Amino acid sequence: MEFLKKLGIKEKNFGSSTGTVWNETTDQGELKIYSPATGEYIASVYQASENDLGKLLKSSEEAFKYWRTVPAPKRGEIVRQIGNKLREYKKDLGSLVSFEMGKSLQEGMGEVQEMIDICDFAVGQSRQLYGFTMQSERPMHRMYDQYHPLGIVCTISAFNFPVAVWAWNAMLAAVCGDVNIWKPSSKVPLSAIACQNIIKDVLVENKLPEGIFTLIVGKGSTIGEKILNDNRIPLISVTGSTNVGRHAGEVIAKRFGRAILELGGNNAIIMTPEVDLKMAMPAVVFGAVGTAGQRCTSTRRLIVHESIYDKVKESLTKAYGGLKIGNPLDEKNHVGPLIDKNAVKDFNNALKLAVEEGGKVIYGGQVLEGENYKSGSYVVPAIVEAENHYKIVQEETFAPILYLIKYSGDVKNAIALQNGVVQGLSSSIFTNNMREAEMFLSAEGSDCGIANVNIGTSGAEIGGAFGGEKETGGGRESGSDSWKTYMRRQTNTINYGTALPLAQGIKFEI
Ligand code: NAD
């Protein structure tokens, strides 16, 4: 495939790089990567060793000593050039993301666009790493706070966003003066290797030292654990399941490290009697079946007022009937495959449990077979009539299952159902009623990190802070003032007088 060649993906690839230099380790096992789209073998990656991680950390420690002294807008200039390289390779990288992960080509390219957008955002941010100036209570004193680079930042990313999550973290961290280690998901390492190849020219042309953008492909249980426990890494951004995030959070907290936790969601859309169905229906369907239900922000629950329930159910099943399922690289198709056969098992199992608890599958649920579905990872997205308290509804199943839940009475009842899960990532309400919308956004409203009105749960813009509450982990990355997490804050007080007054009027004379 032409795009593999352009992205420098070989038949066999090394798994760790300090920037432009690859460690040639071959004795830690080889990851063989197959496309969930076609079942075809793509290429393999040699996993990195603990020794390779040591080399990366050493080069990063050295690079940080230099990088932190480069003025932030100059660091922004490097990120600007990376953004331009990504523009050049958008189609190729988008195609690889789609082929390796299984999301549609549109979404693969959208993911690369997100990387470009965050580069632009980070370039602007590089001139805006502001602190405040405060008024001192003491005469002839000046007080302010400032932000300094933190050190080595590690991004541990999930399979479903093979490249964007790295950019969200690494580009902001880079303008903040930090150096980066990336541990991608072992299910999609080729996309990460491609990124490393794309940025190589920028590193070389600007004569940057090794260690500013590094990559390590290795097992979570060995390399991942080493990273979590390493005191030289003050900040780790973990995107993944709640189980992995809970463990990572505990280990990092024990050594007083900082963690950005971006974990599972259980996102709901509320439809009140004043919904504009024409607008809402595409948002629900895209939210539930886009990326085959494998977005952290995928719509998993649809909470509908009883007065419109039957109508919504009918138009939803009709819309699902029109979905085309197949190769994500073919732009005609709406739904691609799940990442692997284990995900298909989880899909089947969740449907079984939902039925055992009293749920009714009213659409889909089949596993597709035949020439077009050779990878064995294609399923028909399912709609299940269910109740919010079912154990399986309370969990995040990373697959296209939409639970249809009825509410009655006031919008507050719908909000209670929406909030009645342990996760707190994304939420939406579809209504033309201002009181309902404002209630949803108020302190009594949605308890999620993202709350939208007349927009679905998925497809966030990079300008806002992204993340969620409760078991979603509480982390924020990307836009708004998320950059502050990547820096250490320092309060400075300067006495330009000749006396030494103490704060709070305390007297101490010698
Ligand atoms: P996962 O938890 O299986 O893996 C995530 C990452 O953690 C991978 O890189 C994995 O190798 C690594 N890992 C596993 N064990 C580790 C350990 N002991 N130490 C260090 N690292 C370890 O998740 P996944 O299946 O790749 O992704 C799907 C999950 O990610 C879903 O739950 C989804 O909701 C979540 N997700 C959340 C967000 C968000 O922003 N909130 C975004 C994307 C995905």
Side-chain angles (χ1 to χ4, degrees), residues 91-300:
K91 181 89 199 277
D92 299 312
L93 186 58
S95 302
L96 175 56
V97 166
S98 169
F99 196 50
E100 188 182 26
M101 185 272 158
K103 62 175 67 178
S104 75
L105 183 58
Q106 276 299 313
E107 290 176 88
M109 304 237 283
E111 185 167 344
V112 183
Q113 186 58 46
E114 261 188 75
M115 301 172 85
I116 296 167
D117 292 343
I118 197 70
C119 285
D120 287 354
F121 183 94
V123 175
Q125 192 71 67
S126 71
R127 290 183 186 268
Q128 302 173 81
L129 305 173
Y130 303 134
F132 287 117
T133 301
M134 287 76 71
Q135 296 298 318
S136 171
E137 67 189 44
R138 288 170 283 184
M140 307 189 90
H141 278 58
R142 187 165 71 81
M143 189 161 64
Y144 72 105
D145 63 13
Q146 59 174 338
Y147 289 84
H148 289 307
L150 197 57
I152 303 174
V153 171
C154 178
T155 303
I156 296 179
S157 55
F159 81 84
N160 64 330
F161 276 90
V163 290
V165 166
W166 166 68
W168 284 9
N169 287 280
M171 297 309 137
L172 275 184
V175 299
C176 289
D178 302 323
V179 294
N180 288 280
I181 297 180
W182 181 11
K183 198 212 83 56
S185 159
S186 296
K187 292 178 183 171
V188 288
L190 298 174
S191 299
I193 289 170
C195 290
Q196 199 74 6
N197 290 337
I198 289 172
I199 65 170
K200 179 176 149 240
D201 288 348
V202 176
L203 305 180
V204 172
E205 281 158 19
N206 291 280
K207 298 190 177 58
L208 293 175
E210 296 293 303
I212 298 177
F213 292 102
T214 70
L215 172 71
I216 186 150
V217 178
K219 287 192 194 103
S221 54
T222 52
I223 297 293
E225 284 297 321
K226 284 265 164 213
I227 290 173
L228 300 183
N229 281 288
D230 201 305
N231 274 327
R232 288 169 290 180
I233 310 176
L235 171 63
I236 304 184
S237 174
V238 184
T239 300
S241 57
T242 293
N243 278 346
V244 166
R246 193 191 308 277
H247 168 70
E250 280 171 14
V251 175
I252 298 165
K254 215 177 248 170
R255 64 172 176 87
F256 298 103
R258 220 184 260 184
I260 299 175
L261 299 178
E262 299 285 352
L263 315 175
N266 193 348
N267 319 297
I269 291 181
I270 296 173
M271 280 188 183
T272 82
E274 299 196 42
V275 61
D276 176 343
L277 261 188
K278 246 214 244 127
M279 242 174 100
M281 214 41 91
V284 172
V285 179
F286 176 71
V289 310
T291 323
Q294 299 168 110
R295 284 188 180 211
C296 50
T297 53
S298 289
T299 310
R300 311 217 174 273

Side-chain angles (χ1 to χ4, degrees), residues 18-39:
T18 50
T20 66
V21 179
W22 292 85
N23 293 313
E24 302 192 353
T25 301
T26 55
D27 61 356
Q28 300 291 309
E30 204 175 342
L31 294 170
K32 293 192 183 291
I33 306 299
Y34 295 85
S35 169
T38 60

